[in-house]
Amino acid sequence: MSTHEHTRRAWEDASQKHVREYAEHLELARTARLLPIEEQLLGPLLRGAEVLHPQSGHGLDDHALVRLGARSVLGIDYSPTAAEAAQRRADELAVPCRYQVAELPRTDLPSGMTDLVYTGKGALIWIEDLAAWAEEMHRLLCPGGHLFVYEAHPLVPLWAWDADEARVREDRSYFAAGHINDTFPASGAAEHQRTLAELVMTVQGAGFELLHLAEHPDPFWQPDGEAPAAAWDGRLPNALSLLARRR
Ligand SMILES: C[S@@+](CC[C@H](N)C(=O)[O-])C[C@H]1O[C@@H](n2cnc3c(N)ncnc32)[C@H](O)[C@@H]1O
């Protein structure tokens, strides 16, 4: 089996969580909010906007996007299990979100079909050809449309999750092309790495103008029931936010 196929299957297995935890997700969706920095940046852009959410996963953020004013959200994910669970929840709550099963970086969606691409929180690391992905997002956005990413900081793969002291893992490099994920949710899947500079240059190279880039100390996700890692004590970057406009 190719590494790519292994990763896809790992995600299909991991997405069973969305079915097992359907009832909890349904309750979370009723009150889901974006992070404060996301609300601050996206609030003015979301009123009446058609949003595309590549690698939408559980799709809880889609409910928050609608609550902030999005007219509709289209989620794309290659896991049928993830897409079906998200669609069932959106239908049950009568929220204007639709989900399609498709494999990025390319889609057969029409050009210029969206006002805002919203993604992240564990999305970009699964894309091998980030330049092709960024070009596709550029194609799908209307002129002047926005790309927003809230993602793990590229340094995160280097942090050990020790609770006593922040340490750099000896088996990782900031400049590596990737590594195999050894934690939940998609254990065994191939993560693609790129440096902060590579991410920014790739987005700009696809035809976007960078409007905002910030690094944040808190991780976007913490495993349930585990002691917080010392690497999350506020001294190190754990997440980034990026907003760019299609030229
Ligand atoms: C961490 S999850 C979802 C992130 C999402 N923002 C969330 O909060 O749930 C990553 C998702 O990306 C999907 N995915 C990974 N690679 C993909 C690809 N090449 N095409 C489409 N979906 C992909 C997986 O199936 C998974 O649902």
Side-chain angles (χ1 to χ4, degrees):
M1 194 193 309
S2 68
T3 313
H4 168 79
E5 182 57 14
H6 184 90
T7 300
R8 198 189 59 73
R9 288 195 193 184
W11 268 114
E12 183 55 13
D13 290 348
S15 298
Q16 292 297 334
K17 185 176 191 304
H18 309 327
V19 177
R20 285 194 304 277
E21 297 178 8
Y22 181 80
E24 289 106 297
H25 283 185
L26 189 67
E27 285 317 302
L28 289 173
R30 291 183 200 279
T31 54
R33 295 273 304 261
L34 297 181
L35 297 164
I37 181 76
E38 295 181 297
E39 292 194 352
Q40 183 191 323
L41 290 167
L42 298 181
L45 304 178
L46 277 169
R47 257 157 251 130
E50 308 278 5
V51 179
L52 178 71
H53 184 174
Q55 294 112 275
S56 46
H58 55 52
L60 285 171
D61 287 334
D62 303 335
H63 294 255
L65 291 164
V66 168
R67 199 161 290 119
L68 271 179
R71 188 183 318 155
S72 70
V73 180
L74 173 61
I76 305 270
D77 203 289
Y78 67 8
S79 162
T81 299
E84 280 163 26
Q87 189 65 66
R88 184 178 150 206
R89 187 183 56 238
D91 292 345
E92 204 165 328
L93 297 178
V95 173
C97 301
R98 288 177 299 122
Y99 295 89
Q100 274 185 18
V101 177
E103 180 163 340
L104 296 151
R106 303 281 182 209
T107 72
D108 55 11
L109 295 167
S111 300
M113 50 83 67
T114 194
D115 302 306
L116 174 73
V117 171
Y118 172 90
T119 195
K121 300 178 185 167
L124 297 189
I125 48 175
W126 309 112
I127 299 297
E128 183 171 7
D129 188 344
L130 191 66
W133 182 93
E135 283 159 18
E136 181 67 358
M137 298 309 132
H138 187 272
R139 185 184 73 77
L140 295 174
L141 278 164
C142 62
H146 291 84
L147 167 69
F148 179 80
V149 175
Y150 193 94
E151 210 25 298
H153 194 283
L155 277 164
V156 165
L158 272 69
W159 306 152
W161 285 14
D162 300 332
D164 62 331
E165 192 182 320
R167 295 186 179 87
V168 171
R169 290 176 60 142
E170 292 196 352
D171 62 339
R172 298 273 171 88
S173 162
Y174 183 60
F175 298 101
H179 63 270
I180 298 299
N181 177 302
D182 54 13
T183 54
F184 184 85
S187 188
E191 287 190 24
H192 303 286
Q193 291 178 227
R194 59 263 324 177
T195 66
L196 184 57
E198 285 167 346
L199 172 63
V200 168
M201 295 308 286
T202 301
V203 168
Q204 288 186 334
F208 288 96
E209 173 193 3
L210 197 62
L211 302 178
H212 158 98
L213 178 67
E215 297 164 289
H216 309 287
D218 293 324
F220 67 82
W221 175 80
Q222 299 190 20
D224 293 338
E226 303 263 343
W232 305 336
D233 70 0
R235 293 179 301 139
L236 297 171
N238 278 287
L240 64 81
S241 50
L242 179 154
L243 180 66
R245 183 164 46 214
R246 181 199 195 280
R247 283 189 211 277

